[in-house]
Amino acid sequence: MDNNINEPRHHRRPERPKHLALRNTLNIIFMIGASIGCYMYMQDDMELMGGIVIIIAIAFKIAESIIRFIK
């Protein structure tokens, strides 16, 4: 009997999550929106608009998290 530790016991292909592309897209939108919102928030005359952009970006992150937990 060959007891090779590095050889996997199961020979199934790793499963790809169903909504991976959607989750990645939502994460990219979140990162871009949060970055733009932070930049806008740091400007003297755009604090309110920057905060709104950050809140909208957080909504995309919440949507991604819900998709992740639903599976």
Side-chain angles (χ1 to χ4, degrees):
M1 182 171 178
D2 187 19
N3 291 330
N4 189 356
I5 294 175
N6 295 328
E7 185 177 326
R9 290 181 178 207
H10 303 287
H11 298 288
R12 280 189 264 167
R13 291 187 332 202
E15 294 181 18
R16 184 173 181 224
K18 291 184 209 175
H19 305 293
L20 185 62
L22 176 61
R23 285 180 44 211
N24 285 341
T25 303
L26 290 173
N27 271 327
I28 290 170
I29 292 171
F30 163 71
M31 289 186 286
I32 292 171
S35 299
I36 292 171
C38 287
Y39 175 76
M40 290 172 70
Y41 187 79
M42 295 298 172
Q43 302 301 316
D44 290 334
D45 57 342
M46 298 190 78
E47 285 182 5
L48 179 63
M49 189 58 136
I52 292 171
V53 171
I54 291 171
I55 290 171
I56 293 170
I58 290 172
F60 281 100
K61 185 61 180 178
I62 290 171
E64 186 272 331
S65 298
I66 290 170
I67 292 171
R68 183 176 357 135
F69 287 126
I70 289 175
K71 284 191 176 185

